[in-house]
């Protein structure tokens, strides 16, 4: 089957310590990679953003140090500041993964750690698909 390029999104909220950022990024990425069946050769790039109240650790560095860091060793990783917006969710790391998946795939977007409020539609779709497959 042919592959095509997809954008897969994720977000997580966490405290502003290196350990909390490390754990949050590790967990979010592990879930996202696993639920989408991604392998090292599938990744093109990963772009993180983080709100201004998080500055203890760069999430790209956290991913490289994590158990799934080897999967992305050839992908481009980038981190930038989230645009400040009044009423925006604090202590949030967002992720956009650009990766190849089988054509016709339905990407699974992962929102966790309180970031579920950003995209309840993705969370509901994910919960529904888990209930159907069980």
């Amino acid at each position: 089957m042919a592959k095509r390029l997809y954008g897969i999104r994720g977000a997580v909220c966490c405290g502003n310590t290196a350990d909390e950022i490390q754990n949050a990024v590790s967990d979010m990425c592990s879930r996202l990679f696993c639920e989408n069946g991604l392998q090292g050769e599938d990744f093109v790039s990963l772009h993180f953003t983080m709100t201004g109240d998080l500055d203890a650790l760069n999430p790209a560095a956290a991913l490289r140090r994590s158990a799934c860091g080897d999967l992305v060793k050839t992908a481009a990783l980038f981190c930038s500041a989230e645009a400040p917006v009044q009423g925006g969710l604090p202590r949030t790391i967002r992720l956009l993964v650009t990766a190849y998946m089988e054509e016709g795939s339905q990407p699974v977007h992962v929102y966790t750690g309180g970031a579920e409020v950003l995209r309840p539609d993705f969370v509901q779709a994910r919960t529904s698909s888990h209930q159907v497959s069980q």
Side-chain angles (χ1 to χ4, degrees), residues 41-84:
E41 65 275 3
D42 298 328
F43 293 99
V44 175
S45 63
L46 294 91
H47 183 174
F48 291 94
T49 65
M50 55 196 306
T51 53
D53 49 4
L54 295 175
D55 61 6
L57 179 65
N58 182 311
L63 175 56
R64 291 249 190 246
R65 295 178 192 163
S66 75
C68 54
D70 279 348
L71 283 176
V72 298
K73 63 184 172 189
T74 61
L77 300 186
F78 188 77
C79 183
S80 59
E82 180 73 26

Side-chain angles (χ1 to χ4, degrees), residues 100-123:
Y100 286 97
M101 294 172 58
E102 298 294 329
E103 195 167 333
S105 294
Q106 293 296 317
V108 178
H109 308 284
V110 175
Y111 287 72
T112 187
E116 297 89 345
V117 299
L118 294 170
R119 291 303 303 259
D121 53 330
F122 287 161
V123 174

